[in-house]
Amino acid sequence: MAPHSKESSTQETKEEFFEEKTEELNQKRETALKNNKIIIYITILALTYYHLAGFYGLYLTFKSVKWATIGLGFLLYFIGILGVTAGAHRLWSHKSYKAKLPLQIILMLFQSVAFQKSKTVQSWVRDHRLHHKFSDTDGDPHNANRGFFFSHMGWLISVKTDEVIKGEKSIDISDIINNPVLRFQKKYAFYVIGICCFVLPTAIPMYFWGETFNNAWHFNFLRFLLSLHMVFCINSVAHKWGYKPYDKNILPAENAFFSFAVLGEGFHNYHHCFPWDYQTSELGNKALNFTTWFIDFCAGIGWAYDLKTASEEVVKSRADRTGDGKFRVQ
Ligand SMILES: [Zn+2]
Ligand SMILES: [Zn+2]
C-alpha cells in the first residue's frame, strides 16, 4: 500500500503544481490584456487628436501660416522620414550597413522628429523584424491579409494576436537593446521626442519669424500626421498595389510613385526578397530613392560603411524563378 499512496500523493502534488501554474499564466495574460487595452484607449485618443490638429493645421495653411513655416515643415518631414528609412529601417532593423557614432546620433534624433506611432526605435525594430519574419500571417503585427485599414493603422488600436505576442518573445533584438544611442532615446523618450517632434518645430517659427503659436503648433501637426500616414502606407499601399518583379507569390509590391514620398521605400517587393540590401531597390534605381543617396553620401565621408547589396546575378535569378515577368534591370 505504501508505494501506491506515495504515488497518488505525488500525482496530487503534480496536479496542484500545474493548476497553480495555469492560474498564474491566466493572471499574467489577463494583466497583459488589460494593459494592452489601456494602451489601445490612449492610442485612440492620441490618434484622434493628431488628426483633428493636423486638419486644423491644413485649414490654417490656406489662411495664415507663413511661407517660412511651410518651408520648415517640408524640411522636418524630410528629416523625420530619413530617420525612419535610413535609421530605424535600413540601419537598425535590417543591419544593411553600419554607422559610426555621429551618424547614429543624427539618425536617432531624426527618427525622434518623426515620432512614429508613439514608438522609439527599439519597439519599431521589434515590430518590423516580426513583420519580415511572419509577413502577412497572424504573427505579423500589421498583417495585410486582415484588410487595408488594419495594415495601415488599425493594428495600432487592436488587441495583439497570440502569434504576435509569442513572436515578440522569440524575436532577437539584443543588438538594439544594447545599443547605447537607442538606450538613451528610450530612457529619455519623453524629452528627446517631445523636444524634436513638438517643442522645437513650434518654437523655431515663433522665435525666428514671428509665427503665432496657433499656426506653428497646428501646422507642425499637419507635417507630423503626413509623415505618419506616409510610413503607414508602406504597410498598407505597398502590400496591396504594384508590380511583383521578384516574387509574385507575396503581397509586397513595387510602387514607384509612392516611393518618392517615402524617400525610396516603395520598392517593397524587392525589399521583402532582399531585406539586407541597403538600397531597398533594384540595381541603379536611385532616382526616387533619396535615402540611398543619403547613405552613399555618409559612406563618402566615412560615417557609413559595410554597405550590403544583392548582386545583379542573384537579383536576376530570383526574378526569373519567382517574378511576375516585369523585371526591369537593364
Ligand atoms: Zn512589408
Ligand atoms: Zn524592412
Side-chain angles (χ1 to χ4, degrees):
M1 286 305 285
H4 176 73
S5 57
K6 196 179 176 187
E7 202 175 273
S8 64
S9 78
T10 317
Q11 187 67 26
E12 263 174 36
T13 327
K14 262 188 191 171
E15 273 170 16
E16 272 172 25
F17 173 78
F18 282 117
E19 257 172 41
E20 269 174 33
K21 273 280 164 216
T22 316
E23 209 171 296
E24 202 181 302
L25 280 174
N26 281 342
Q27 265 176 2
K28 269 190 184 169
R29 197 178 145 71
E30 260 174 44
T31 319
L33 271 175
K34 219 185 209 175
N35 290 342
N36 201 213
K37 274 185 186 159
I38 293 170
I39 293 171
I40 287 170
Y41 291 138
I42 294 171
T43 309
I44 290 172
L45 280 176
L47 284 170
T48 308
Y49 179 73
Y50 299 164
H51 283 81
L52 290 174
F55 278 106
Y56 182 51
L58 181 64
Y59 163 74
L60 291 173
T61 307
F62 292 105
K63 205 169 162 256
S64 50
V65 174
K66 293 185 176 177
W67 279 107
T69 311
I70 295 172
L72 179 71
F74 272 106
L75 183 69
L76 290 172
Y77 171 86
F78 181 83
I79 280 174
I81 296 281
L82 208 51
V84 175
T85 58
H89 191 216
R90 302 190 196 185
L91 173 64
W92 286 306
S93 292
H94 293 297
K95 298 190 257 187
S96 65
Y97 68 98
K98 292 192 179 102
K100 289 197 175 156
L101 188 64
L103 179 57
Q104 287 202 42
I105 294 171
I106 289 170
L107 289 172
M108 179 273 285
L109 293 173
F110 279 12
Q111 196 268 352
S112 304
V113 169
F115 179 38
Q116 285 290 290
K117 57 192 183 191
S118 329
K119 288 185 179 203
T120 58
V121 169
Q122 290 190 350
S123 43
W124 202 102
V125 169
R126 182 203 59 210
D127 287 347
H128 195 69
R129 286 186 184 169
L130 266 180
H131 169 61
H132 275 268
K133 191 171 178 189
F134 303 105
S135 195
D136 299 320
T137 67
D138 283 337
D140 179 349
H142 32 83
N143 176 8
N145 277 316
R146 289 181 68 179
F148 184 88
F149 180 75
F150 179 85
S151 63
H152 190 75
M153 59 188 287
W155 66 284
L156 295 170
I157 49 173
S158 304
V159 175
K160 290 176 185 177
T161 62
D162 287 346
E163 287 80 1
V164 168
I165 294 168
K166 253 187 254 165
E168 282 179 354
K169 283 176 192 149
S170 73
I171 213 99
D172 180 18
I173 54 162
S174 52
D175 55 320
I176 299 303
I177 287 171
N178 295 323
N179 181 307
V181 176
L182 303 181
R183 281 167 80 104
F184 175 86
Q185 190 203 32
K186 192 175 181 193
K187 190 170 178 188
Y188 300 104
F190 181 79
Y191 302 101
V192 177
I193 294 172
I195 290 169
C196 292
C197 186
F198 301 111
V199 177
L200 283 179
T202 306
I204 291 171
M206 288 173 71
Y207 183 80
F208 287 100
W209 51 87
E211 185 61 275
T212 63
F213 172 78
N214 196 41
N215 280 356
W217 178 259
H218 292 103
F219 183 78
N220 182 49
F221 263 94
L222 176 61
R223 181 277 307 172
F224 166 58
L225 190 67
L226 206 60
S227 63
L228 211 56
H229 277 289
M230 281 305 165
V231 175
F232 288 168
C233 280
I234 301 171
N235 302 328
S236 55
V237 175
H239 272 250
K240 195 162 175 66
W241 293 293
Y243 297 127
K244 298 177 180 177
Y246 311 99
D247 194 339
K248 60 177 185 290
N249 306 309
I250 58 176
L251 293 184
E254 305 280 283
N255 194 309
F257 169 73
F258 162 68
S259 203
F260 179 71
V262 279
L263 311 182
E265 301 283 302
F267 304 104
H268 215 51
N269 190 253
Y270 181 92
H271 177 58
H272 271 262
C273 293
F274 309 101
W276 66 88
D277 190 328
Y278 86 98
Q279 300 181 104
T280 78
S281 69
E282 67 189 61
L283 302 161
N285 201 347
K286 292 183 184 175
L288 303 168
N289 199 336
F290 188 86
T291 307
T292 299
W293 295 1
F294 175 77
I295 299 170
D296 285 344
F297 171 77
C298 292
I301 59 169
W303 281 3
Y305 58 103
D306 283 358
L307 277 54
K308 292 181 201 140
T309 186
S311 72
E312 189 170 346
E313 299 80 60
V314 170
V315 175
K316 195 168 179 333
S317 101
R318 177 70 188 258
D320 288 344
R321 205 157 32 88
T322 54
D324 64 359
K326 303 218 165 50
F327 181 51
R328 298 187 305 267
V329 173
Q330 290 106 27

